[in-house]
Amino acid sequence: MQTVLAPIPVILAAYLLGSVPFAMISSKLFGLADPRTYGSGNPGATNVLRSGNKKAALFTLLGDALKGWVAVFAAQQAGLSNALIGLVALAVFFGHLFPVFLKFKGGKGVATAAGVLLALDPILGLMVLGTWLLVAYISRYSSLAALIAAATAPLYSALMHGTDGQFAVVGIIALALIIKHWQNLQRLMAGQESRIGSKKKG
């Protein structure tokens, strides 16, 4: 049975959930410096890891992924239409990229995208996550893993379900991830990109 909910409040709630900055929360909980002041300056799990505190990085990773999963799962359980579930998925993801609580300067969205995909389609999410883990393990570059995982996500979706509404949502998320990692790609090509676990500078 379809539940009728006004789209704007639902989308706004998803955006606000996506805006919750777990990198900032974990840094305060573990007594770390603001992650925007060191390393890449990105409020995300990979940069928090550069502080040397693995627990804080894990907390950030799980928090960012969980908010993406919770938003989509809640929309599914509420019986919303597929179109509105897709909008919720995009809202929570872009909430992380452009959070109102951090003056619209957020993280790069990898963990939140993973949470969103795992809720939309667990098999698709696991395939994308597996791609990220494999590339990250081999290369030790989080950004390269993110770029390849993002590029393959729409391909996996198309192979599994064709070019349906889910393909459009996955494609938009993938494109946004690639754009957010564009500077990382330039550093990779110049041999200047930091590897996973490298310590913060400054």
Side-chain angles (χ1 to χ4, degrees), residues 153-171:
L155 176 61
Y156 293 153
S157 181
L159 289 173
M160 294 171 62
H161 305 291
T163 54
D164 57 3
Q166 178 177 285
F167 173 80
V169 172
V170 174

Side-chain angles (χ1 to χ4, degrees), residues 16-200:
L16 291 175
L17 177 58
S19 291
V20 176
F22 278 94
M24 309 299 291
I25 295 171
S26 68
S27 294
K28 287 186 179 295
L29 286 175
F30 290 91
L32 304 176
D34 186 327
R36 296 171 297 179
T37 63
Y38 60 81
S40 66
N42 177 56
T46 301
N47 200 42
V48 172
L49 183 60
R50 293 190 176 101
S51 71
N53 193 316
K54 294 181 180 180
K55 291 182 179 179
L58 180 60
F59 182 92
T60 303
L61 178 69
L62 293 177
D64 284 344
L66 188 61
K67 66 186 181 184
W69 184 87
V70 166
V72 175
F73 181 76
Q76 292 168 332
Q77 295 303 304
L80 303 184
S81 67
N82 289 336
L84 188 48
I85 290 172
L87 290 176
V88 165
L90 292 175
V92 69
F93 173 70
F94 281 100
H96 178 80
L97 298 189
F98 306 105
V100 65
F101 306 123
L102 296 181
K103 299 180 180 179
F104 306 104
K105 296 179 180 179
K108 295 185 178 177
V110 176
T112 303
V116 166
L117 293 181
L118 285 168
L120 283 176
D121 185 333
I123 295 177
L124 172 63
L126 288 173
M127 290 174 67
V128 175
L129 182 59
T131 300
W132 187 95
L133 289 171
L134 178 62
V135 177
Y137 177 78
I138 294 173
S139 70
R140 308 301 297 173
Y141 286 116
S142 174
S143 55
L144 180 61
L147 285 163
I148 293 178
T152 56
L155 176 61
Y156 293 153
S157 181
L159 289 173
M160 294 171 62
H161 305 291
T163 54
D164 57 3
Q166 178 177 285
F167 173 80
V169 172
V170 174
I172 292 171
I173 290 175
L175 180 60
L177 285 171
I178 292 171
I179 292 172
K180 289 290 286 186
H181 284 82
W182 189 252
Q183 290 184 337
N184 299 87
L185 177 59
Q186 292 177 317
R187 288 195 294 269
L188 281 165
M189 294 176 67
Q192 299 173 345
E193 181 72 335
S194 298
R195 293 181 184 270
I196 294 173
S198 62
K199 300 296 183 179
K200 64 182 180 181

